[in-house]
Amino acid sequence: MKIIDAHMHLSHIASFKETAENRSFVDYSVDGLLREYAENGVVLGIGMGVTETAAGGFPDREAPTPMGLDMVESYPGQIAYCPGVNPFKLDNAGLDALEQALQRPEAVGIKIYLGYYPYYAYDDVYQPVYELAKQYKVPVVYHTGDTYSERGLLKYSHPLTVDEVAVAHRDVNFMIAHFGDPWVLDGAEIVYKNRNVFADLSGLMVGDAAECARLKDSPLFFAHLRHAVTYCDHYEKMLFGTDWPLAPVQPYLQFVQELIPEAYHEHVFYKTALRVFPKIAPLVE
């Protein structure tokens, strides 16, 4: 079975480097990622564009729109990305640069960092972004749920804020990253209700293989998640993602394989990504 990692990172973010060194123990480099992909049958990874202008600055109000994968000099066939949006840099110049980025074959979506920036999904600042998503037929990916920085503001990252956008822009697909964790039951309702909303299952645990195994097998740690995916009952609208480098590929792959009924594995690990990110088809077929 081919596997697509619908959510990973390759950016010079200080917190990512610290996590790789001290918690997940992965080789946080392009070669390190591609090595893990080759070992686990991952044919494509979709990176979420994000940059910081000073170490430890993320969420960085000075970062440009669009934000890319600044660890990648030239895109190998196994890597695509979603240009990241800084709402403080969404003037005409920023929007023009975002549109130019979307014309590149490796730019397959748009990433909005709810919670890291103090705007709701439905705020006016993002409306031109949704128009670009419609024009270029790419999805909008939202960070939702817990932020990987104490400077984030959680009220902006609740997945319920996506509902209003999904209703207003029915011809754009949206993906709520991390299933809105810890508000996964709310995330499940948004996915269940809206035909144009999907969810990735990335970033639900942080650590090395031993820590991932401990959390996976805990009787309570993922009880809320198992409740939510069962309630949603739309496994075909969920996507595998690792949020690498927060965890190695292999144990995270095993975690999602055990979470999702086997009958839906081909959808979660491959087919749904093609549905949500139509531009990736030439990269994997």
Side-chain angles (χ1 to χ4, degrees), residues 108 136-139 173 272-283:
V108 300
Y136 286 91
K137 297 180 173 58
V138 296
N173 283 334
T272 305
L274 289 170
R275 180 179 171 192
V276 176
F277 298 94
K279 282 184 70 174
I280 70 174
L283 302 175

Side-chain angles (χ1 to χ4, degrees), residues 230-246:
T230 304
Y231 167 79
C232 183
D233 199 28
H234 277 288
Y235 298 103
E236 80 285 355
K237 295 184 72 180
M238 299 177 189
L239 295 82
F240 169 70
T242 60
D243 216 6
W244 195 90
L246 302 194

Side-chain angles (χ1 to χ4, degrees), residues 20-53:
E21 182 176 351
N22 300 315
R23 298 186 65 183
S24 63
F25 306 116
V26 303
D27 174 5
Y28 186 40
S29 66
V30 175
D31 288 343
L33 178 66
L34 294 181
R35 188 180 309 113
E36 289 195 48
Y37 279 178
E39 292 170 352
N40 292 281
V42 180
V43 297
L44 181 73
I46 302 175
M48 299 296 145
V50 61
T51 58
E52 60 184 11
T53 58

